[in-house]
Amino acid sequence: MHIQTTADDHRIAKLAAFAIALHMVEAVIPSPLPGVKPGIANIVTLYVLLQYGFTTAAWVSILRVFASSLLLGQFLSPTFALSLSGALLSLGALALAVHLPKRYFSAVTLSILAAFAHIAGQLIMVRLWLIPHASVAYLIPIFAVAALFFGVINGIITNKLLYNKTLNSQTNPDTELNKSTENAK
Amino acid sequence: MLKKIAMLSLLRSPKTAIQHLLIGDWLTIIFSTILVIYLFQTLWSHQQATKVQIRLGDKVYATYSLNLQQTIHVHGPIGDAEIHIAQGKVRFAKSPCHNQYCVHQGWLTHAGQAAICLPNQISLELIGEEKPYDSLNY
């Protein structure tokens, strides 16, 4: 059996693999409170969004959720449902936020908005399905603080990555050439 | 590789990282901080409760004022639970469930606090003058 693949498919697979690796690393890090995580895999989503556009970012993010849950043995479990609802809502927020003027808003804003959308998606899921009780509202402030904190940090890292990328392509005319031919495609 | 370099240089120079932030980023950070503070104030307000709402299954069974000292018996799926109300507080006094989590939770005093007895499907929720998180949940 042979499946025809395009350069785009390869790029998505490569970037998704990166995101999955970060997700695995994060799964090992102990967390003071269940559910509060830095979400470093979102750095990849943000980077891809700003470098290759929304469609690629959506593919990478969704593939990451499915593949990571399979690897961790959480496929179709509540954890997976939380992860998916968070990823979908944060993609929705990014789809809107990517239209913000780049002159005033960097990846940090996108990261913060995505992080808030992520916890919103998770909390909606928790409230409707896992713990259908109003006391869930007590957890919202804690998750919001975590989202703000890690949102800023992930955004700064993404900025740094994008900055390094442009630096590299400036000093290295070859990569710049590659990039422009890629864009032309 | 690229990622590692970025993170290392971030650790070395947090100042330059902050310099990369644009005006819109600062606005987002400020608004988010205000939102977080607002969430803390509204959702973690330790407002004294005035009423208790008892739920049986998915229905509201009854609502009582906390000013009146009384003992309430609620008949749940696995037996009778006894709920005490005294001096603005409420607790599960007796419950037929095997783990007795609800009883061990003790007295509830603040608005928004809740005790849930899952085996018997009875829950207590304290209500203040106004339910602080109504607007968010419904």
Side-chain angles (χ1 to χ4, degrees):
Chain A
M1 199 170 85
H2 185 74
I3 304 170
Q4 284 293 324
T5 53
T6 64
D8 269 350
D9 296 337
H10 289 225
R11 185 161 61 208
I12 289 171
K14 214 186 281 176
L15 293 163
F18 221 149
I20 294 161
L22 286 179
H23 193 118
M24 291 301 124
V25 169
E26 193 173 75
V28 179
I29 300 170
S31 155
L33 202 116
V36 174
K37 281 181 166 191
I40 44 176
N42 291 325
I43 297 169
V44 179
T45 312
L46 279 170
Y47 178 81
V48 173
L49 175 74
L50 293 169
Q51 202 72 34
Y52 304 107
F54 181 73
T55 322
T56 316
W59 269 113
V60 168
S61 177
I62 302 294
L63 277 175
R64 192 256 303 169
V65 169
F66 275 84
S68 306
S69 74
L70 284 171
L71 284 170
L72 293 169
Q74 298 166 334
F75 188 54
L76 296 182
S77 74
T79 321
F80 165 76
L82 289 179
S83 188
L84 185 63
S85 64
L88 287 177
L89 237 79
S90 99
L91 278 174
L94 285 176
L96 296 175
V98 80
H99 296 297
L100 287 169
K102 293 279 174 299
R103 254 184 77 194
Y104 304 115
F105 297 94
S106 74
V108 174
T109 297
L110 298 186
S111 175
I112 294 171
L113 293 177
F116 273 115
H118 197 272
I119 57 153
Q122 295 195 322
L123 284 167
I124 289 168
M125 200 59 145
V126 168
R127 178 67 177 87
L128 292 182
W129 178 38
L130 298 171
I131 312 173
H133 195 274
S135 55
V136 170
Y138 264 98
L139 296 174
I140 292 175
I142 302 169
F143 285 123
V145 167
L148 178 57
F149 179 72
F150 291 121
V152 171
I153 291 189
N154 289 346
I156 288 173
I157 294 172
T158 313
N159 264 352
K160 198 87 191 168
L161 282 174
L162 292 166
Y163 180 70
N164 283 4
K165 173 99 178 177
T166 45
L167 260 190
N168 271 354
S169 50
Q170 268 163 18
T171 49
N172 228 334
D174 281 352
T175 44
E176 181 58 50
L177 200 73
N178 283 341
K179 219 181 99 188
S180 53
T181 47
E182 246 172 40
N183 285 345
K185 270 190 238 167
Chain B
M1 188 62 191
L2 200 66
K3 197 140 286 188
K4 214 171 144 192
I5 294 165
M7 290 200 192
L8 283 178
S9 61
L10 190 75
L11 282 178
R12 258 188 265 122
S13 56
K15 252 185 202 158
T16 50
I18 287 168
Q19 274 164 9
H20 282 291
L21 294 184
L22 307 174
I23 181 123
D25 297 331
W26 285 113
L27 283 177
T28 314
I29 291 171
I30 291 165
F31 273 113
S32 311
T33 314
I34 293 170
L35 176 75
V36 168
I37 292 168
Y38 173 77
L39 283 175
F40 265 108
Q41 279 183 339
T42 48
L43 299 176
W44 278 19
S45 67
H46 287 289
Q47 187 192 10
Q48 204 64 33
T50 55
K51 279 184 272 183
V52 58
Q53 192 176 68
I54 301 173
R55 282 171 194 258
L56 180 58
D58 53 357
K59 288 191 197 72
V60 175
Y61 175 82
T63 306
Y64 295 95
S65 163
L66 292 181
N67 295 327
L68 211 64
Q69 184 162 345
Q70 58 183 319
T71 305
I72 302 150
H73 293 270
V74 182
H75 188 72
I78 61 166
D80 268 332
E82 199 175 305
I83 295 157
H84 282 181
I85 298 177
Q87 293 154 10
K89 298 180 293 183
V90 65
R91 68 163 177 176
F92 273 105
K94 276 179 199 155
S95 175
C97 57
H98 69 281
N99 52 30
Q100 298 283 304
Y101 288 147
C102 51
V103 177
H104 289 156
Q105 230 182 320
W107 291 105
L108 308 177
T109 52
H110 296 303
Q113 273 190 313
I116 313 163
C117 184
L118 282 178
N120 211 11
Q121 293 179 24
I122 298 173
S123 73
L124 308 178
E125 189 187 343
L126 292 194
I127 304 169
E129 281 304 320
E130 48 186 285
K131 264 179 100 179
Y133 35 75
D134 246 18
S135 55
L136 276 165
N137 271 322
Y138 300 103

